[in-house]
Amino acid sequence: MTALEPVRKRQRIYFSRGYWWLFDPSRDSNLQLDSKIVQCGWNVGRLCQSLGIGKRTFTRLIEESLGISSKRWLREIRIISACHLLREEGKIEGVAETLGFPHASDFTREFKKLVGVSPSRYATLEYSRSTGYRNVG
């Protein structure tokens, strides 16, 4: 490649301005993924279908863009969403339902595996931390 050749833009997934995006060079556009992920029930297959790309292509994009598997990426952003919801709502059953877990026990197991504490313990710790900050004067 010479200095005058244009850099070929590649399809990629990235995080910017608080959202996940898919860059599509064929359309020279960015598609916000967050709402699509929720609409697809946090399912990689359904997400790929809604994006009009194959599951293998999507998996390759995640691995090239982020260095992790698509399943791990989706699992991690789902748990990050859970952390935000637990801070706001605090009700495990409601958070589990919102994030598409079939049972609260499935959510609890997944949350504890990634965060290291149960969702109820996390919510308690976050509440204690936030009320402690409010009382500092």
Side-chain angles (χ1 to χ4, degrees), residues 46-62:
R46 287 188 289 229
L47 177 60
C48 293
Q49 191 175 27
S50 78
L51 295 172
I53 60 176
K55 194 172 179 179
R56 179 66 195 127
T57 299
F58 184 75
T59 299
R60 181 185 49 76
L61 280 172
I62 293 289

Side-chain angles (χ1 to χ4, degrees), residues 25-123:
S26 66
R27 296 183 184 142
D28 197 28
S29 67
N30 295 291
L31 175 66
Q32 187 185 9
L33 295 177
D34 299 72
S35 60
K36 287 204 171 279
I37 292 167
V38 173
Q39 289 170 356
C40 295
W42 299 87
N43 180 284
V44 173
R46 287 188 289 229
L47 177 60
C48 293
Q49 191 175 27
S50 78
L51 295 172
I53 60 176
K55 194 172 179 179
R56 179 66 195 127
T57 299
F58 184 75
T59 299
R60 181 185 49 76
L61 280 172
I62 293 289
E63 288 171 355
E64 288 176 0
S65 300
L66 306 172
I68 59 175
S69 71
S70 57
K71 187 175 180 178
R72 181 174 175 187
W73 171 71
L74 208 54
R75 181 181 293 145
E76 288 180 3
I77 62 172
R78 193 178 195 188
I79 294 302
I80 290 168
S81 295
C83 290
H84 293 294
L85 291 170
L86 285 167
R87 280 187 209 113
E88 294 170 10
E89 185 179 316
K91 298 196 187 317
I92 294 167
E93 293 78 15
V95 172
E97 185 179 329
T98 299
L99 296 176
F101 284 92
H103 305 285
S105 59
D106 295 332
F107 166 63
T108 298
R109 184 177 50 255
E110 188 71 20
F111 189 93
K112 190 170 184 176
K113 189 187 319 179
L114 288 173
V115 179
V117 296
S118 69
S120 59
R121 179 73 178 138
Y122 179 85

